[in-house]
Amino acid sequence: MMRTFLGCLFLFFTAQVYAQQDISLAGTWQVRLDKEDRGIEEQWFGKDEGRTVKLPGTLDDAGIGDPTKLDTNVMNKEVMLMLSRKHSYIGAAWYSKRVVIPAGWNNKMIRLYLERVIWSTRVWVDGKEAGTEESLSTPHVFELGSYLTPGAHLLTIRIDNRKQHDISVRDMAHAYTDGTQIIWNGVIGAIKLSARDRLSVGTVQTYPDALQKRVALKITLKNHHAGTQKALLKAAVFQGNKQVVTRNMPVTIVPGASVNEIELFLGNTAKLWDEFDPQLYRVAVTLQTTGGKLLDRNETRFGLRTIAGDQQTLRINGRPAFLRGTLECNIFPLTGHPPMTREGWLKVFCAAKSYGLNHLRFHSWCPPEAAFEVADSMGFYLQVELPFWNLHAGEDAAANQFLEKEAERISEAYGNHPSFCLWSLGNELQGDFNWLHRLLTQLKQKDKRHLYTTTTFTFQKDHGRWPEPGDDFFITQYTKKGWVRGQGVFNDHKPDFSTDYTEAVEGASVPLITHEIGQYSVYPNLREIRKYTGVLDPLNFKAVRNDLRKKNMLQLADSFTLASGIFAAQLYKEEMERALKTKGISGYQLLDLHDFPGQGTALVGILDAFWDSKQLVRPEAHRMYSSAVVPLIRFNKAAYKNDEVFSLTAAVANFSGGTLKRAWPQLLIKDRSGKILFKKDWPAADLPVGNGSYIGEARFALNAIREAGMLTIELSLRGTPYKNEWRIWVYPATIEEHAGNVRFTRSFAEALRLLEEGRNVLFNPDTAELKGVNGRFAPVFWSPVHFPDQPGTMGILCNPRHPALQHFPTAFHSDWQWWDLITYSKTMIIDSLPAMTPVVRVIDNFFKNRKMANVLEARVGKGKLLMTSVNITNALDQRPEARQLRYSFIRYMNSAQFMPETVLTREQLLLLKK
């Protein structure tokens, strides 16, 4: 016990000593903007001039730069493209500060450390140039020992945030963009001077072997003396405060940098790292003189884990794994740059975990050290990418050289982290695939701690549909055999919940992850505007707000957000479950769990850009279909007649830490009041890891359901938190339609004549006779600004308690029973009509904000009109939803409740006709 205490005390005091070897440069600096590139010629590096600024920080933080001038009263692409910087500066900026080097640093190696910079830095000390660095992903480090002696000095840093290399399409790669992260100028994270002995420990790279319970260390030692030096190298591994193993090794260190290797056995009881038990080890490396004097110390952390592809199965520590992921595209609206502390990243990972995720993909950028540290501690699997999104990969020699070195820097800086699982060369790359293959091969040969892929999908011909040579895993939206995400399915195929993507992935030789699934646009939440208190101004949100106000629709904004958002969440659910049902798929990457405010205001998340809930789906509800264990059912359709039998097959996707022992599956079918109509218990069984755990089948005759209704299907594992829910709709097989005093027509001329006679008219014109937008079930893809030509709306909005819908069970938003109705419809644009509340409103995309409807009612002439652009005429025996909706309209129109308030003239009604 005393030995352990003294060891901890030694570590404490050692850490204190070495903490004193750092001088923080955080605080006040002087800055001068160099728009005209005069600074070098005019020798600004020898001047301590300019205005005051705080570092770490950015010019945006200080309000320095050109102010944004955009008119939010105009809905145009410029204002809607992205969040707007309040101030913007692209160019060179000169930062200067007087520093005092203590006497104790005499004859030390002194290093300047800038944790993150965009993009290029040059450093001067007392007017003498001391070095140049460039990186978008790793710290800029300068050796200044020959320039800084005890006493006062002028330190000058020229930071140039202009594009140094062409790495992306229209500057959209998220390491260098104004679309998410802004192209800031400054320094973020740690900014300091560090002093080390002339014999010092450089990098410590860890190469764990989980099977052998060992870790190999590659330790770079630096000798800045003129001749060879002898020293004692020590390496100790700790788990918590407990020392696991130590090794002492005398070394002879040649001048310059040299690498020493040590292998340590961690014991047969060594613990593995994964999402369920993220066990971490700490390794401390010290360098001492042969007489025992401590010269230097370095620490790092690692985890024991294996990650490998077993044909199509991704295995972590030998166990099948499924990645439930989303993208992180450098979206931090208050600062315009990523958090550099653990606190900032805790919010990100805690939010993702609360919604059942275990994986983040960093799209075309690499996060800072703090992100890896939090992911390590929480057991998240990360995919890191080069800052690369290019259509001409390999064609620019200078860019190639930068990217090759950037890849080496990323591997060295962050490769020890067990959370760093997947490595991609970039997003949707096109160009010279031979160069990409060579780079991939080089990285794999140098560092086998990760799995690699050539590109995160590609649209290039003859690529993107099957794994590339050398890929350890494959990310795609479709294969040469078919789609593996819903955009290619949901609008073109009637809802079918028995489908998976097995045929599309059959024969793939490596684990497959589905690319950017979802992308269902949600209407802007205008209440977010007040949250933008930092460097970015939501002029795009304000423009939407102003447009709605001008059109007297602002009061609908909250409802638009809620209805479109809940609908989008339902589509995401089906996307995720189809992937989970498919043997041969090892995960999905959502686009996105949270909003993407760039590339045309792509609000595709169920969380906002701050990782806060939009109140669309609760975390516990989302975890029903996004967690380590997900109950699943397969069934053929969403809408039934009551002379049919509802049949299903039940299964469980178990990607937990092991076999579920004695799991007891139970199926319940409930009506809208919660009454249980059907119950089935299957025998308790052991469910192994994987998605092939078949439970059984069930059949429920629907003939006892006399009236149209919605049923909830619930599959749970009793005694566990694991359950899942689905909805189906049941309609009477036979309906006696009593027209009463309602006249049905498809003709404008006949409708007008009947109305003039004072009739109640149910008007269902042929869609070919209507002006408007063709019906499309799924909402706008990604963004109506980024993709303006898509026929996009964002679902319906209605009052389910409206008497016209009394016999047609519905929520206030789109759901699967609306698929047939919307697909066979044309949305009416009613901007030219008097103000009204449609029975069924259609939410237009937020870039147009037209008033739209599928069902409206009005008084016309002497009569009363209910008009629908949904086809409630044809093939009703095969379309029970349409027949039931028609029946509900007729019942309503024959009642005393049918009293439309809006008055339309003959001429106004004809405005809807082609």
Side-chain angles (χ1 to χ4, degrees):
M1 179 67 74
M2 179 59 69
R3 183 178 179 182
T4 301
F5 171 76
L6 291 175
C8 292
L9 197 63
F10 169 76
L11 290 173
F12 172 78
F13 282 115
T14 301
Q16 292 297 304
V17 169
Y18 278 86
Q20 294 169 10
Q21 299 301 300
D22 291 342
I23 295 177
S24 172
L25 299 180
T28 301
W29 289 66
Q30 305 299 113
V31 66
R32 295 179 69 184
L33 304 189
D34 192 5
K35 290 184 179 181
E36 300 174 357
D37 274 334
R38 297 183 291 111
I40 294 176
E41 181 181 349
E42 297 178 2
Q43 300 186 9
W44 290 8
F45 43 76
K47 303 173 182 178
D48 187 16
E49 299 176 353
R51 59 188 294 184
T52 298
V53 69
K54 295 286 187 181
L55 293 181
T58 68
L59 297 182
D60 292 74
D61 294 333
I64 297 174
D66 298 325
T68 299
K69 297 178 181 178
L70 292 174
D71 185 359
T72 59
N73 290 308
V74 179
M75 286 280 283
N76 58 33
K77 188 171 183 178
E78 186 180 16
V79 76
M80 292 299 298
L81 198 58
M82 63 189 75
L83 299 170
S84 299
R85 294 172 71 173
K86 294 177 180 177
H87 299 86
S88 178
Y89 177 73
I90 306 294
W94 294 73
Y95 300 83
S96 60
K97 186 180 183 71
R98 297 282 177 181
V99 298
V100 177
I101 303 303
W105 283 21
N106 187 40
N107 204 32
K108 295 283 189 181
M109 299 308 302
I110 302 175
R111 176 178 295 175
L112 171 64
Y113 181 92
L114 312 175
E115 186 169 359
R116 187 150 291 197
V117 179
I118 296 178
W119 178 330
S120 174
T121 55
R122 294 174 68 176
V123 170
W124 288 260
V125 177
D126 299 328
K128 296 178 182 178
E129 186 163 6
T132 301
E133 290 286 337
E134 65 170 2
S135 176
L136 291 167
S137 310
T138 61
H140 291 207
V141 180
F142 298 84
E143 297 290 350
L144 303 181
S146 58
Y147 299 92
L148 291 174
T149 54
H153 298 274
L154 175 63
L155 179 63
T156 305
I157 307 172
R158 180 184 183 270
I159 297 177
D160 191 347
N161 65 348
R162 286 172 293 192
K163 186 195 300 185
Q164 306 295 308
H165 305 284
D166 186 12
I167 59 170
S168 71
V169 181
R170 300 192 300 279
D171 294 338
M172 291 195 297
H174 299 128
Y176 187 82
T177 183
D178 271 336
T180 50
Q181 173 178 241
I182 58 176
I183 304 173
W184 45 269
N185 194 306
V187 180
I188 60 174
I191 174 171
K192 62 184 179 180
L193 293 172
S194 299
R196 292 294 180 265
D197 195 272
R198 300 184 75 82
L199 277 182
S200 63
V201 180
T203 60
V204 178
Q205 295 292 313
T206 61
Y207 298 89
D209 183 338
L211 297 178
Q212 298 297 323
K213 306 295 178 66
R214 297 177 180 274
V215 60
L217 306 180
K218 288 188 177 180
I219 304 165
T220 300
L221 299 179
K222 295 186 176 182
N223 177 6
H224 292 279
H225 294 281
T228 298
Q229 302 288 313
K230 293 185 180 297
L232 182 64
L233 180 64
K234 292 188 175 183
V237 177
F238 299 83
Q239 187 174 33
N241 289 324
K242 179 184 177 182
Q243 183 170 297
V244 176
V245 62
T246 186
R247 172 95 178 269
N248 300 337
M249 184 171 75
V251 289
T252 301
I253 311 172
V254 299
S258 57
V259 176
N260 290 262
E261 298 186 9
I262 298 177
E263 189 173 271
L264 300 172
F265 177 59
L266 302 177
N268 292 322
T269 60
K271 296 183 178 180
L272 303 184
W273 179 97
D274 65 11
E275 62 184 290
F276 308 107
D277 190 16
Q279 294 286 338
L280 292 171
Y281 289 87
R282 175 171 54 90
V283 56
V285 175
T286 59
L287 191 63
Q288 299 178 10
T289 66
T290 53
K293 178 186 175 184
L294 181 63
L295 297 172
D296 199 16
R297 175 185 180 86
N298 198 353
E299 280 196 4
T300 189
R301 284 175 169 77
F302 68 92
L304 278 178
R305 63 116 174 95
T306 62
I307 181 167
D310 178 7
Q311 295 295 312
Q312 290 179 279
T313 302
L314 179 69
R315 293 184 181 273
I316 296 178
N317 297 334
R319 186 177 56 244
F322 193 93
L323 302 180
R324 306 179 303 277
T326 190
L327 274 63
E328 211 314 295
C329 298
N330 222 336
I331 302 167
F332 299 96
L334 295 183
T335 60
H337 63 70
M340 303 302 288
T341 62
R342 290 178 58 91
E343 290 74 20
W345 284 101
L346 276 169
K347 179 170 185 179
V348 171
F349 286 105
C350 286
K353 187 172 185 176
S354 73
Y355 281 82
L357 302 189
N358 64 357
H359 167 52
L360 257 68
R361 171 198 166 200
F362 292 94
H363 180 313
S364 57
W365 77 293
C366 176
E369 177 73 15
F372 289 99
E373 290 178 354
V374 174
D376 289 347
S377 68
M378 294 180 65
F380 263 79
Y381 309 129
L382 305 185
Q383 176 177 318
V384 174
E385 294 182 0
L386 275 173
F388 197 28
W389 179 1
N390 198 286
L391 306 183
H392 306 283
E395 297 176 13
D396 183 312
N400 292 354
Q401 186 177 33
F402 166 75
L403 290 163
E404 290 164 6
K405 290 183 177 179
E406 190 81 339
E408 292 179 7
R409 288 188 286 258
I410 289 172
S411 283
E412 181 177 291
Y414 311 116
N416 290 345
H417 293 282
S419 57
F420 188 171
C421 294
L422 307 178
W423 221 143
S424 171
L425 300 188
N427 176 70
E428 296 177 3
L429 300 175
Q430 298 183 45
D432 183 354
F433 269 76
N434 290 326
W435 176 78
L436 291 171
H437 294 159
R438 287 195 298 272
L439 177 55
L440 189 79
T441 300
Q442 292 168 12
L443 288 173
K444 291 177 70 172
Q445 288 174 344
K446 291 180 179 178
D447 188 350
K448 295 180 172 59
R449 293 175 289 188
H450 326 289
L451 298 185
Y452 294 84
T453 192
T454 308
T455 174
T456 305
F457 186 58
T458 179
F459 290 100
Q460 184 163 319
K461 186 180 179 182
D462 300 326
H463 297 272
R465 294 176 178 266
W466 213 242
E468 294 290 324
D471 282 355
D472 296 322
F473 65 102
F474 176 48
I475 301 177
T476 191
Q477 62 185 28
Y478 46 65
T479 72
K480 59 186 180 182
K481 300 180 179 183
W483 283 91
V484 292
R485 73 177 192 184
Q487 283 94 347
V489 177
F490 290 166
N491 283 314
D492 300 330
H493 297 81
K494 200 161 187 174
D496 172 6
F497 305 93
S498 62
T499 298
D500 61 28
Y501 303 120
T502 298
E503 291 184 5
V505 304
E506 184 181 9
S509 57
V510 297
L512 185 148
I513 301 167
T514 53
H515 177 59
E516 297 183 356
I517 67 171
Q519 307 190 50
Y520 303 114
S521 188
V522 178
Y523 202 87
N525 179 9
L526 301 183
R527 295 181 183 271
E528 286 175 32
I529 292 173
R530 69 187 71 157
K531 297 171 72 171
Y532 287 85
T533 57
V535 303
L536 289 164
D537 197 345
L539 300 183
N540 46 359
F541 283 72
K542 293 177 181 178
V544 173
R545 181 179 64 185
N546 291 343
D547 193 52
L548 289 178
R549 184 181 287 123
K550 284 188 292 186
K551 296 173 178 176
N552 296 313
M553 296 170 66
L554 186 57
Q555 72 282 2
L556 294 168
D558 289 347
S559 297
F560 285 174
T561 301
L562 199 59
S564 63
I566 293 175
F567 178 35
Q570 289 297 318
L571 297 177
Y572 272 111
K573 180 179 190 289
E574 176 60 15
E575 288 261 25
M576 297 154 79
E577 289 181 0
R578 287 192 182 198
L580 279 166
K581 290 173 183 174
T582 304
K583 291 186 178 180
I585 286 181
S586 289
Y588 52 73
Q589 293 172 344
L590 302 175
L591 190 55
D592 193 339
L593 185 69
H594 74 320
D595 281 344
F596 187 108
Q599 291 182 34
T601 309
L603 309 177
V604 295
I606 59 172
L607 306 182
D608 65 22
F610 301 85
W611 289 90
D612 294 330
S613 174
K614 297 183 188 177
Q615 307 302 315
L616 304 176
V617 55
R618 301 184 315 278
E620 58 270 25
H622 196 268
R623 290 197 300 272
M624 289 196 299
Y625 47 90
S626 173
S627 66
V629 179
V630 177
L632 298 165
I633 63 173
R634 296 175 189 256
F635 55 104
N636 290 333
K637 57 185 179 178
Y640 296 80
K641 294 184 285 189
N642 65 355
D643 61 355
E644 296 182 270
V645 174
F646 173 62
S647 301
L648 64 87
T649 301
V652 172
N654 171 25
F655 290 99
S656 68
T659 297
L660 294 176
K661 299 290 188 180
R662 302 289 296 167
W664 185 2
Q666 182 181 77
L667 180 79
L668 300 176
I669 300 179
K670 305 175 184 178
D671 65 15
R672 296 189 76 173
S673 71
K675 178 182 177 182
I676 296 175
L677 306 178
F678 179 82
K679 176 181 176 182
K680 183 177 180 67
D681 289 288
W682 284 278
D686 293 344
L687 305 179
V689 175
N691 60 353
S693 293
Y694 170 79
I695 298 300
E697 298 180 0
R699 292 167 55 85
F700 173 51
L702 303 171
N703 54 10
I705 300 170
R706 303 298 184 186
E707 297 182 349
M710 182 198 78
L711 305 183
T712 298
I713 320 300
E714 179 185 298
L715 178 63
S716 64
L717 300 180
R718 296 188 63 181
T720 77
Y722 305 123
K723 73 171 186 175
N724 203 351
E725 294 179 351
W726 301 264
R727 289 187 292 276
I728 64 170
W729 291 262
V730 182
Y731 308 103
T734 58
I735 295 177
E736 296 184 13
E737 185 179 293
H738 298 291
N741 63 354
V742 176
R743 299 293 182 265
F744 179 87
T745 183
R746 307 205 77 190
S747 162
F748 269 93
E750 185 178 11
L752 289 168
R753 178 180 60 78
L754 291 169
L755 288 164
E756 192 57 39
E757 293 174 2
R759 305 288 188 175
N760 290 352
V761 178
L762 177 55
F763 183 28
N764 184 213
D766 190 314
T767 54
E769 297 295 314
L770 280 173
K771 296 176 183 176
V773 177
N774 289 332
R776 184 175 182 268
F777 177 67
V780 170
F781 171 75
W782 186 242
S783 159
V785 184
H786 196 71
F787 297 110
D789 297 330
Q790 56 181 312
T793 55
M794 304 182 74
I796 69 159
L797 174 65
C798 68
N799 177 3
R801 292 185 293 276
H802 192 289
L805 303 173
Q806 182 178 352
H807 299 281
F808 183 79
T810 183
F812 66 90
H813 53 82
S814 290
D815 210 331
W816 294 107
Q817 95 277 25
W818 282 94
W819 186 93
D820 178 277
L821 302 170
I822 298 300
T823 300
Y824 300 107
S825 74
K826 181 174 279 186
T827 299
M828 297 179 284
I829 301 171
I830 60 174
D831 288 329
S832 58
L833 302 185
M836 65 171 66
T837 300
V839 176
V840 178
R841 184 188 299 274
V842 175
I843 304 168
D844 195 13
N845 75 69
F846 55 82
F847 197 37
K848 294 180 178 176
N849 289 322
R850 295 164 293 187
K851 298 175 183 177
M852 308 179 89
N854 273 341
V855 184
L856 56 83
E857 58 182 347
R859 298 200 307 273
V860 183
K862 300 175 184 177
K864 293 182 288 185
L865 170 74
L866 192 146
M867 180 178 181
T868 179
S869 56
V870 171
N871 185 338
I872 58 169
T873 302
N874 302 117
L876 296 184
D877 58 331
Q878 302 168 38
R879 301 172 55 233
E881 311 98 310
R883 183 176 62 177
Q884 188 67 33
L885 185 62
R886 174 175 170 144
Y887 172 77
S888 190
F889 288 162
I890 291 173
R891 289 285 301 268
Y892 166 59
M893 295 175 71
N894 275 312
S895 73
Q897 293 176 293
F898 183 42
M899 296 292 292
E901 296 180 358
T902 303
V903 176
L904 295 181
T905 66
R906 175 190 182 94
E907 292 73 23
Q908 287 170 331
L909 185 60
L910 287 171
L911 291 173
L912 301 176
K913 187 177 186 297
K914 267 191 177 179

